[in-house]
Amino acid sequence: MYTDKVMDHFTNPRNVGEIAGANGVGEVGNAKCGDIMRIYLDVEDGIIKDVKFKTFGCGAAIATSSMVTELVKGKTLDEALAISNQAVAEALGGLPPAKMHCSNLAADALHEAIKDYKSKAGK
Amino acid sequence: MRRVYFDHSATTPVDSEVLETMLPYLKQDFGNASSIHWFGRESRKAVETAREQLAALLGAEAKEVFFTSGGTESDNLAIKGVALANRKKGNHIITTAIEHHAVLHACEYLEKNGFEVTYLPVDENAMVSVEAVRNAITDKTTLISIMFANNEVGTIQPIKEIGALAREKGIYFHTDAVQAVGNCPIDVKELNIDLLSLSGHKIYGPKGIGALYVRKGVRLEAVQHGGAQERGIRPGTENVPAIVGLGKAAELAKRDLEKRSAHLTGLRNQLFEGLKNRIPDIKVNGHPELRLPGNVNFSVLYVEGESLLLNLDIKGIAASSGSACTSGSLDPSHVLLAMGLTHEVAHGSLRLSLGKDNTANDVAYCLEVLPEIVERLRAMSPLNAFSKPSENNPCNSCHHH
C-alpha cells in the first residue's frame, strides 16, 4: 500500500522532537480522522535553520511529517510556503488516495508554523 | 524473520486434516453433486456427510443446514429471506449497532425497500441489553438479528435469553455466529436460535464456503434464484471440495472445542496480563469475562493504530486495528464508537486474535516487541500523559480544524 520511501520515512523518521525556544510552532489536525501534527521552527534571517516535528497518526502522517522537515531545512520562508501537501506526497513517491486528505497535513502544519513565526516577529 | 499470526478473527489457516479431506474432491471425485451418474453420486454423498458434520456441531438436524458462499451470504439470506417471506406479518427488524457490515448493510438495503430497522445501542463492554430488545419489539417485528460474539472486541451476547424472548413473542431470531462457531459451545435448540450464520475460513476450513442453519418451520424466501440445489433456498452448483472441507472443519471444531478454548483462554490471559504490566495507559476493550477465548482488544492511548500495526508487521507480527486509517474511511471502528470510545482512543486500538496453533512463545515475543514500539511512537506523539485529551473534547489539540 505504501511506497518504499514512505516506509523508509515511517520507520526512520527524520527530525523527530521539539525545539526548545522555537520561534514558530504550527499544529494542525484532522479531528475526525484523528491525526495531529505539530511542527517546530528555528528561523534565522528568514532561513529555516532547524525544524522538528511531533505527530500522532498513521504511517502516512508520520512519513509526510518527516518528509516536510527534510524539504524545508535551509530554505527561505517563501520557498517553504511554496511547498504543498501534493509536493510532499510526490516527494514520497505518492500516497494512497484515501491518505491524501486524511493524513497528509504536513505542509499545512508547516504553513501554520510560518504564520506563527511571522505573527510573533510582527511581520 | 520470526512470523507470528495474531489475526485469526480475519481468517484462519486451513487445517492439514481439512485439506487432506478436500483434495480428492478437486481431482478424481470431481462430479457435480446434482448429476445422476457415479461421479455425481460420490459428490452428493460427500456433501450430505458434511451437512451432518455441521449439524452435529450445532445440535441441529442435517436438513436444517444450507450451504452458502460464506458468512456474508448467510447473513443476507437470513435477513432478507425472513423479511421478505414474512412481509405480510410486519416490516420491522431489530438488530444492533455493532453488527458486521453484512448484517448492517443488508438491513440498510431493506430500509430502502420499505422496512423499518431498530439498531440497538450497546454498553461500554459492547453488551446488548435483553430489556432493550424487549422494549424495541413492536407488533410489526418479524426478525431479531443479534450477533453471537463480536468480531472486533469479542463480547459474547446473552443469546439464550434473547432467543427465549423472541420465541415468547413469536419473532424469528437470527444470530451471526461467524466468530463464535468453533470457539463457543453452541446448541441451536437449547439457545432458542431460529437461524444461524457461520463461515468456513474462521474455523480452519477453506474460504468461500459457509452455511446457514434454518430451523425447520421458519418461513424463508430465497434471495438468489436458479436451480433446485439446497432445496431452492440457495441455488447454484455445490462447491463440493469446500463443503467437504467445511464439514471436516466442523468435525474437528466439535472434537477439539474444549481443548482449543482452554488453550486460547490461557494465551489470552497471558497476553492481557503482560500488556497491562508492561504498557502504561492502555484500555482493554470488550467484556472482561464474557468474551471469545482468543480475542484481545485494547486501545493504546496517545498512539495511532495503523502505526502500531505497521511496526508490528515489520517485526513479523500480523494483527488488526480499529483505526480509520486501515479501513479506508475516516471513521474508526463503528463498534468501538458504539461502545462510547472517543475517536482518538478508538484510533489507537489493536486486535490480537489468537488461534489454535499459537504458542506461549508467540505471546512472549509480542510482549517483548510491543512495549518498545509503543514507547517509540509515544515519544513521537504530540499527545502524552501530560496533555490527556478530555472525554468531552477528544481532540483537544486540533479544535481549530
Side-chain angles (χ1 to χ4, degrees):
Chain A
M1 174 170 103
Y2 289 135
T3 65
D4 289 346
K5 211 156 189 184
V6 171
M7 285 309 290
D8 175 34
H9 276 264
F10 170 70
T11 45
N12 304 296
R14 284 65 147 174
N15 307 306
V16 176
E18 298 175 26
I19 298 176
N23 51 16
V25 180
E27 183 173 292
V28 295
N30 181 331
K32 208 171 175 218
C33 154
D35 296 340
I36 300 165
M37 295 176 194
R38 192 183 293 161
I39 300 257
Y40 300 84
L41 294 178
D42 177 14
V43 182
E44 244 181 78
D45 301 328
I47 306 281
I48 296 172
K49 290 283 178 200
D50 198 9
V51 52
K52 292 209 181 295
F53 82 88
K54 285 215 151 184
T55 289
F56 167 92
C58 62
I62 290 170
T64 53
S65 304
S66 168
M67 178 51 90
V68 86
T69 61
E70 288 261 281
L71 290 175
V72 299
K73 207 180 259 190
K75 293 264 180 12
T76 67
L77 293 180
D78 284 344
E79 285 169 333
L81 276 171
I83 292 171
S84 64
N85 285 329
Q86 185 66 37
V88 176
E90 278 166 17
L92 286 166
L95 284 175
K99 300 284 182 177
M100 280 303 291
H101 65 291
C102 155
S103 303
N104 185 7
L105 302 162
D108 294 344
L110 169 72
H111 296 165
E112 286 292 322
I114 294 172
K115 211 160 90 183
D116 181 54
Y117 166 77
K118 285 185 171 178
S119 80
K120 280 178 182 158
K123 290 180 182 175
Chain B
M1 185 180 40
R2 182 174 183 146
R3 296 239 175 245
V4 174
Y5 186 77
F6 278 162
D7 203 13
H8 292 83
S9 293
T11 195
T12 54
V14 174
D15 188 284
S16 51
E17 275 190 74
V18 170
L19 178 65
E20 286 305 313
T21 317
M22 289 171 67
L23 285 175
Y25 296 93
L26 288 158
K27 295 165 96 180
Q28 68 270 25
D29 298 328
F30 59 85
N32 186 322
S34 297
S35 299
I36 200 162
H37 48 63
W38 183 89
F39 290 92
R41 292 199 307 276
E42 282 303 298
S43 287
R44 170 59 51 204
K45 226 188 292 170
V47 167
E48 297 315 318
T49 300
R51 207 185 302 279
E52 280 164 20
Q53 287 165 318
L54 263 184
L57 177 66
L58 302 174
E61 290 171 38
K63 63 183 173 205
E64 295 174 313
V65 173
F66 295 84
F67 292 110
T68 66
S69 63
T72 293
E73 191 189 329
S74 295
D75 286 342
N76 272 268
L77 177 56
I79 293 165
K80 293 177 192 166
V82 166
L84 294 175
N86 298 277
R87 188 176 245 176
K88 281 189 184 150
K89 264 179 74 188
N91 67 341
H92 181 232
I93 295 163
I94 298 169
T95 187
T96 80
I98 60 162
E99 297 297 312
H100 188 276
H101 284 131
V103 168
L104 292 176
H105 291 167
C107 286
E108 284 164 21
Y109 169 81
L110 288 172
E111 278 183 292
K112 283 185 204 150
N113 287 279
F115 289 86
E116 283 177 28
V117 181
T118 300
Y119 299 91
L120 294 173
V122 292
D123 69 11
E124 69 276 13
N125 292 325
M127 187 64 85
V128 179
S129 134
V130 181
E131 241 357 82
V133 180
R134 183 184 293 276
N135 294 337
I137 293 172
T138 74
D139 56 1
K140 299 271 183 227
T141 310
T142 55
L143 176 69
I144 298 170
S145 177
I146 291 176
M147 70 199 325
F148 202 113
N150 185 264
N151 51 314
E152 292 189 35
V153 297
T155 300
I156 297 169
Q157 303 299 340
I159 292 301
K160 187 174 181 179
E161 291 80 356
I162 296 168
L165 171 62
R167 194 140 301 172
E168 171 199 323
K169 300 280 184 185
I171 299 166
Y172 290 136
F173 176 45
H174 165 249
T175 187
D176 173 351
V178 163
Q179 296 290 338
V181 168
N183 282 312
C184 306
I186 296 178
D187 183 310
V188 287
K189 309 283 183 224
E190 200 188 305
L191 297 175
N192 309 306
I193 295 166
D194 295 313
L195 303 108
L196 177 145
S197 303
L198 64 88
S199 173
H201 73 108
K202 311 286 189 183
I203 56 168
Y204 308 94
K207 293 173 182 63
I209 188 71
L212 180 66
Y213 157 77
V214 183
R215 181 180 57 77
K216 195 177 152 206
V218 168
R219 284 168 57 92
L220 183 75
E221 199 169 303
V223 294
Q224 169 172 312
H225 302 97
Q229 296 95 343
E230 300 299 291
R231 286 183 280 145
I233 287 294
R234 200 284 186 175
T237 300
E238 289 95 340
N239 183 353
V240 178
I243 288 172
V244 166
L246 173 58
K248 187 67 183 178
E251 183 194 302
L252 299 180
K254 185 174 164 63
R255 185 192 73 191
D256 296 341
L257 188 75
E258 273 183 43
K259 193 176 81 183
R260 283 183 192 174
S261 182
H263 173 63
L264 293 179
T265 305
L267 293 183
R268 180 191 75 192
N269 293 344
Q270 183 193 345
L271 193 46
F272 263 138
E273 284 312 305
L275 291 169
K276 281 191 275 190
N277 291 336
R278 289 170 201 221
I279 303 176
D281 292 330
I282 63 168
K283 181 191 177 306
V284 171
N285 298 319
H287 198 282
E289 288 101 33
L290 300 172
R291 65 186 304 134
L292 289 172
N295 176 285
V296 174
N297 191 307
F298 56 100
S299 298
V300 182
L301 306 191
Y302 324 123
V303 298
E304 201 275 338
E306 191 205 74
S307 289
L308 287 170
L309 270 194
L310 289 171
N311 276 300
L312 280 173
D313 184 45
I314 288 164
K315 294 285 186 183
I317 299 174
S320 176
S321 165
S323 154
C325 284
T326 52
S327 68
S329 88
L330 280 183
D331 285 319
S333 143
H334 66 286
V335 175
L336 298 174
L337 294 183
M339 291 162 63
L341 266 68
T342 62
H343 270 67
E344 199 168 82
V345 174
H347 272 295
S349 69
L350 206 57
R351 179 187 73 185
L352 305 173
S353 43
L354 315 177
K356 68 182 178 69
D357 300 322
N358 283 133
T359 64
N361 281 340
D362 293 338
V363 171
Y365 177 60
C366 184
L367 289 173
E368 177 194 320
V369 163
L370 193 54
E372 191 267 329
I373 292 172
V374 171
E375 206 176 311
R376 194 150 39 84
L377 288 172
R378 279 183 175 164
M380 209 187 294
S381 172
L383 307 171
N384 57 50
F386 304 107
S387 65
K388 282 187 177 175
S390 73
E391 285 299 308
N392 296 332
N393 181 11
C395 190
N396 62 0
S397 312
C398 58
H399 37 241
H400 50 283
H401 272 261

PDB file of all heavy atoms in Angstrom, chain B residues 66-88:
ATOM      1  N   PHE B  66     -28.025 -25.269   5.355  1.00  0.00           N
ATOM      2  CA  PHE B  66     -27.949 -24.885   3.939  1.00  0.00           C
ATOM      3  C   PHE B  66     -26.566 -24.309   3.668  1.00  0.00           C
ATOM      4  O   PHE B  66     -26.126 -23.406   4.395  1.00  0.00           O
ATOM      5  CB  PHE B  66     -29.021 -23.836   3.605  1.00  0.00           C
ATOM      6  CG  PHE B  66     -30.425 -24.368   3.738  1.00  0.00           C
ATOM      7  CD1 PHE B  66     -31.063 -24.379   4.982  1.00  0.00           C
ATOM      8  CD2 PHE B  66     -31.092 -24.876   2.637  1.00  0.00           C
ATOM      9  CE1 PHE B  66     -32.346 -24.887   5.110  1.00  0.00           C
ATOM     10  CE2 PHE B  66     -32.390 -25.383   2.758  1.00  0.00           C
ATOM     11  CZ  PHE B  66     -33.013 -25.401   4.003  1.00  0.00           C
ATOM     12  N   PHE B  67     -25.910 -24.795   2.627  1.00  0.00           N
ATOM     13  CA  PHE B  67     -24.574 -24.275   2.308  1.00  0.00           C
ATOM     14  C   PHE B  67     -24.674 -22.978   1.503  1.00  0.00           C
ATOM     15  O   PHE B  67     -25.539 -22.848   0.620  1.00  0.00           O
ATOM     16  CB  PHE B  67     -23.768 -25.321   1.542  1.00  0.00           C
ATOM     17  CG  PHE B  67     -23.430 -26.505   2.392  1.00  0.00           C
ATOM     18  CD1 PHE B  67     -24.022 -27.743   2.163  1.00  0.00           C
ATOM     19  CD2 PHE B  67     -22.531 -26.375   3.457  1.00  0.00           C
ATOM     20  CE1 PHE B  67     -23.733 -28.838   2.976  1.00  0.00           C
ATOM     21  CE2 PHE B  67     -22.235 -27.462   4.267  1.00  0.00           C
ATOM     22  CZ  PHE B  67     -22.837 -28.687   4.032  1.00  0.00           C
ATOM     23  N   THR B  68     -23.789 -22.056   1.817  1.00  0.00           N
ATOM     24  CA  THR B  68     -23.727 -20.767   1.126  1.00  0.00           C
ATOM     25  C   THR B  68     -22.260 -20.501   0.777  1.00  0.00           C
ATOM     26  O   THR B  68     -21.404 -21.353   1.003  1.00  0.00           O
ATOM     27  CB  THR B  68     -24.220 -19.630   2.041  1.00  0.00           C
ATOM     28  OG1 THR B  68     -23.297 -19.489   3.133  1.00  0.00           O
ATOM     29  CG2 THR B  68     -25.617 -19.899   2.579  1.00  0.00           C
ATOM     30  N   SER B  69     -21.991 -19.285   0.294  1.00  0.00           N
ATOM     31  CA  SER B  69     -20.607 -18.967  -0.061  1.00  0.00           C
ATOM     32  C   SER B  69     -19.823 -18.400   1.125  1.00  0.00           C
ATOM     33  O   SER B  69     -18.643 -18.111   1.002  1.00  0.00           O
ATOM     34  CB  SER B  69     -20.585 -17.951  -1.201  1.00  0.00           C
ATOM     35  OG  SER B  69     -21.172 -16.745  -0.771  1.00  0.00           O
ATOM     36  N   GLY B  70     -20.482 -18.199   2.270  1.00  0.00           N
ATOM     37  CA  GLY B  70     -19.755 -17.661   3.429  1.00  0.00           C
ATOM     38  C   GLY B  70     -20.683 -16.903   4.357  1.00  0.00           C
ATOM     39  O   GLY B  70     -21.905 -16.890   4.180  1.00  0.00           O
ATOM     40  N   GLY B  71     -20.087 -16.265   5.342  1.00  0.00           N
ATOM     41  CA  GLY B  71     -20.854 -15.554   6.365  1.00  0.00           C
ATOM     42  C   GLY B  71     -21.708 -14.437   5.787  1.00  0.00           C
ATOM     43  O   GLY B  71     -22.867 -14.257   6.180  1.00  0.00           O
ATOM     44  N   THR B  72     -21.163 -13.693   4.865  1.00  0.00           N
ATOM     45  CA  THR B  72     -21.905 -12.566   4.290  1.00  0.00           C
ATOM     46  C   THR B  72     -23.167 -13.051   3.593  1.00  0.00           C
ATOM     47  O   THR B  72     -24.251 -12.496   3.784  1.00  0.00           O
ATOM     48  CB  THR B  72     -21.006 -11.793   3.301  1.00  0.00           C
ATOM     49  OG1 THR B  72     -19.957 -11.176   4.054  1.00  0.00           O
ATOM     50  CG2 THR B  72     -21.782 -10.727   2.555  1.00  0.00           C
ATOM     51  N   GLU B  73     -23.024 -14.096   2.801  1.00  0.00           N
ATOM     52  CA  GLU B  73     -24.214 -14.600   2.103  1.00  0.00           C
ATOM     53  C   GLU B  73     -25.218 -15.183   3.092  1.00  0.00           C
ATOM     54  O   GLU B  73     -26.427 -14.985   2.941  1.00  0.00           O
ATOM     55  CB  GLU B  73     -23.828 -15.652   1.051  1.00  0.00           C
ATOM     56  CG  GLU B  73     -25.024 -15.963   0.164  1.00  0.00           C
ATOM     57  CD  GLU B  73     -24.813 -17.150  -0.767  1.00  0.00           C
ATOM     58  OE1 GLU B  73     -23.670 -17.392  -1.189  1.00  0.00           O
ATOM     59  OE2 GLU B  73     -25.802 -17.826  -1.042  1.00  0.00           O
ATOM     60  N   SER B  74     -24.724 -15.874   4.102  1.00  0.00           N
ATOM     61  CA  SER B  74     -25.636 -16.446   5.107  1.00  0.00           C
ATOM     62  C   SER B  74     -26.428 -15.339   5.798  1.00  0.00           C
ATOM     63  O   SER B  74     -27.641 -15.453   5.998  1.00  0.00           O
ATOM     64  CB  SER B  74     -24.853 -17.254   6.143  1.00  0.00           C
ATOM     65  OG  SER B  74     -24.247 -18.364   5.533  1.00  0.00           O
ATOM     66  N   ASP B  75     -25.744 -14.259   6.176  1.00  0.00           N
ATOM     67  CA  ASP B  75     -26.428 -13.138   6.833  1.00  0.00           C
ATOM     68  C   ASP B  75     -27.468 -12.524   5.907  1.00  0.00           C
ATOM     69  O   ASP B  75     -28.592 -12.222   6.313  1.00  0.00           O
ATOM     70  CB  ASP B  75     -25.411 -12.052   7.231  1.00  0.00           C
ATOM     71  CG  ASP B  75     -24.573 -12.466   8.450  1.00  0.00           C
ATOM     72  OD1 ASP B  75     -24.990 -13.384   9.176  1.00  0.00           O
ATOM     73  OD2 ASP B  75     -23.509 -11.864   8.664  1.00  0.00           O
ATOM     74  N   ASN B  76     -27.095 -12.324   4.654  1.00  0.00           N
ATOM     75  CA  ASN B  76     -28.025 -11.734   3.688  1.00  0.00           C
ATOM     76  C   ASN B  76     -29.247 -12.619   3.467  1.00  0.00           C
ATOM     77  O   ASN B  76     -30.377 -12.125   3.425  1.00  0.00           O
ATOM     78  CB  ASN B  76     -27.312 -11.473   2.350  1.00  0.00           C
ATOM     79  CG  ASN B  76     -26.650 -10.115   2.314  1.00  0.00           C
ATOM     80  OD1 ASN B  76     -27.253  -9.131   1.877  1.00  0.00           O
ATOM     81  ND2 ASN B  76     -25.441 -10.022   2.820  1.00  0.00           N
ATOM     82  N   LEU B  77     -28.981 -13.915   3.326  1.00  0.00           N
ATOM     83  CA  LEU B  77     -30.084 -14.846   3.103  1.00  0.00           C
ATOM     84  C   LEU B  77     -31.023 -14.869   4.307  1.00  0.00           C
ATOM     85  O   LEU B  77     -32.251 -14.845   4.155  1.00  0.00           O
ATOM     86  CB  LEU B  77     -29.524 -16.251   2.810  1.00  0.00           C
ATOM     87  CG  LEU B  77     -30.519 -17.386   2.604  1.00  0.00           C
ATOM     88  CD1 LEU B  77     -31.512 -17.068   1.494  1.00  0.00           C
ATOM     89  CD2 LEU B  77     -29.778 -18.699   2.269  1.00  0.00           C
ATOM     90  N   ALA B  78     -30.448 -14.891   5.500  1.00  0.00           N
ATOM     91  CA  ALA B  78     -31.271 -14.949   6.718  1.00  0.00           C
ATOM     92  C   ALA B  78     -32.126 -13.690   6.844  1.00  0.00           C
ATOM     93  O   ALA B  78     -33.344 -13.768   7.062  1.00  0.00           O
ATOM     94  CB  ALA B  78     -30.373 -15.105   7.940  1.00  0.00           C
ATOM     95  N   ILE B  79     -31.495 -12.535   6.707  1.00  0.00           N
ATOM     96  CA  ILE B  79     -32.195 -11.273   6.995  1.00  0.00           C
ATOM     97  C   ILE B  79     -33.186 -10.920   5.890  1.00  0.00           C
ATOM     98  O   ILE B  79     -34.367 -10.673   6.151  1.00  0.00           O
ATOM     99  CB  ILE B  79     -31.158 -10.154   7.234  1.00  0.00           C
ATOM    100  CG1 ILE B  79     -30.402 -10.463   8.528  1.00  0.00           C
ATOM    101  CG2 ILE B  79     -31.820  -8.787   7.292  1.00  0.00           C
ATOM    102  CD1 ILE B  79     -29.146  -9.678   8.710  1.00  0.00           C
ATOM    103  N   LYS B  80     -32.703 -10.932   4.657  1.00  0.00           N
ATOM    104  CA  LYS B  80     -33.619 -10.599   3.558  1.00  0.00           C
ATOM    105  C   LYS B  80     -34.651 -11.706   3.389  1.00  0.00           C
ATOM    106  O   LYS B  80     -35.826 -11.437   3.116  1.00  0.00           O
ATOM    107  CB  LYS B  80     -32.839 -10.413   2.258  1.00  0.00           C
ATOM    108  CG  LYS B  80     -31.917  -9.196   2.281  1.00  0.00           C
ATOM    109  CD  LYS B  80     -31.125  -9.140   0.972  1.00  0.00           C
ATOM    110  CE  LYS B  80     -30.006  -8.136   1.047  1.00  0.00           C
ATOM    111  NZ  LYS B  80     -29.049  -8.311  -0.059  1.00  0.00           N
ATOM    112  N   GLY B  81     -34.204 -12.937   3.543  1.00  0.00           N
ATOM    113  CA  GLY B  81     -35.100 -14.082   3.345  1.00  0.00           C
ATOM    114  C   GLY B  81     -36.261 -14.081   4.316  1.00  0.00           C
ATOM    115  O   GLY B  81     -37.411 -14.311   3.924  1.00  0.00           O
ATOM    116  N   VAL B  82     -35.980 -13.806   5.598  1.00  0.00           N
ATOM    117  CA  VAL B  82     -37.056 -13.777   6.592  1.00  0.00           C
ATOM    118  C   VAL B  82     -37.922 -12.531   6.387  1.00  0.00           C
ATOM    119  O   VAL B  82     -39.160 -12.598   6.435  1.00  0.00           O
ATOM    120  CB  VAL B  82     -36.475 -13.809   8.036  1.00  0.00           C
ATOM    121  CG1 VAL B  82     -37.543 -13.443   9.059  1.00  0.00           C
ATOM    122  CG2 VAL B  82     -35.906 -15.188   8.341  1.00  0.00           C
ATOM    123  N   ALA B  83     -37.254 -11.398   6.144  1.00  0.00           N
ATOM    124  CA  ALA B  83     -38.012 -10.147   5.971  1.00  0.00           C
ATOM    125  C   ALA B  83     -38.995 -10.269   4.813  1.00  0.00           C
ATOM    126  O   ALA B  83     -40.169  -9.907   4.941  1.00  0.00           O
ATOM    127  CB  ALA B  83     -37.047  -8.987   5.740  1.00  0.00           C
ATOM    128  N   LEU B  84     -38.533 -10.806   3.694  1.00  0.00           N
ATOM    129  CA  LEU B  84     -39.388 -10.901   2.505  1.00  0.00           C
ATOM    130  C   LEU B  84     -40.497 -11.937   2.688  1.00  0.00           C
ATOM    131  O   LEU B  84     -41.644 -11.700   2.316  1.00  0.00           O
ATOM    132  CB  LEU B  84     -38.547 -11.248   1.272  1.00  0.00           C
ATOM    133  CG  LEU B  84     -37.543 -10.173   0.832  1.00  0.00           C
ATOM    134  CD1 LEU B  84     -36.682 -10.682  -0.326  1.00  0.00           C
ATOM    135  CD2 LEU B  84     -38.246  -8.880   0.430  1.00  0.00           C
ATOM    136  N   ALA B  85     -40.145 -13.059   3.284  1.00  0.00           N
ATOM    137  CA  ALA B  85     -41.137 -14.134   3.428  1.00  0.00           C
ATOM    138  C   ALA B  85     -42.242 -13.774   4.417  1.00  0.00           C
ATOM    139  O   ALA B  85     -43.326 -14.343   4.379  1.00  0.00           O
ATOM    140  CB  ALA B  85     -40.448 -15.428   3.850  1.00  0.00           C
ATOM    141  N   ASN B  86     -41.933 -12.858   5.332  1.00  0.00           N
ATOM    142  CA  ASN B  86     -42.899 -12.543   6.395  1.00  0.00           C
ATOM    143  C   ASN B  86     -43.428 -11.113   6.299  1.00  0.00           C
ATOM    144  O   ASN B  86     -43.922 -10.554   7.276  1.00  0.00           O
ATOM    145  CB  ASN B  86     -42.252 -12.785   7.762  1.00  0.00           C
ATOM    146  CG  ASN B  86     -41.873 -14.241   7.936  1.00  0.00           C
ATOM    147  OD1 ASN B  86     -42.710 -15.057   8.296  1.00  0.00           O
ATOM    148  ND2 ASN B  86     -40.626 -14.577   7.640  1.00  0.00           N
ATOM    149  N   ARG B  87     -43.315 -10.540   5.115  1.00  0.00           N
ATOM    150  CA  ARG B  87     -43.685  -9.141   4.910  1.00  0.00           C
ATOM    151  C   ARG B  87     -45.137  -8.866   5.302  1.00  0.00           C
ATOM    152  O   ARG B  87     -45.453  -7.802   5.830  1.00  0.00           O
ATOM    153  CB  ARG B  87     -43.449  -8.780   3.438  1.00  0.00           C
ATOM    154  CG  ARG B  87     -43.602  -7.324   3.155  1.00  0.00           C
ATOM    155  CD  ARG B  87     -43.254  -7.050   1.716  1.00  0.00           C
ATOM    156  NE  ARG B  87     -42.072  -6.209   1.652  1.00  0.00           N
ATOM    157  CZ  ARG B  87     -41.469  -5.857   0.521  1.00  0.00           C
ATOM    158  NH1 ARG B  87     -41.906  -6.299  -0.614  1.00  0.00           N
ATOM    159  NH2 ARG B  87     -40.436  -5.078   0.532  1.00  0.00           N
ATOM    160  N   LYS B  88     -45.990  -9.845   5.075  1.00  0.00           N
ATOM    161  CA  LYS B  88     -47.415  -9.618   5.381  1.00  0.00           C
ATOM    162  C   LYS B  88     -47.651  -9.487   6.889  1.00  0.00           C
ATOM    163  O   LYS B  88     -48.587  -8.838   7.324  1.00  0.00           O
ATOM    164  CB  LYS B  88     -48.255 -10.761   4.812  1.00  0.00           C
ATOM    165  CG  LYS B  88     -48.481 -10.592   3.319  1.00  0.00           C
ATOM    166  CD  LYS B  88     -49.478 -11.593   2.776  1.00  0.00           C
ATOM    167  CE  LYS B  88     -49.577 -11.425   1.256  1.00  0.00           C
ATOM    168  NZ  LYS B  88     -49.893 -12.673   0.595  1.00  0.00           N
TER     169      LYS B  88
END
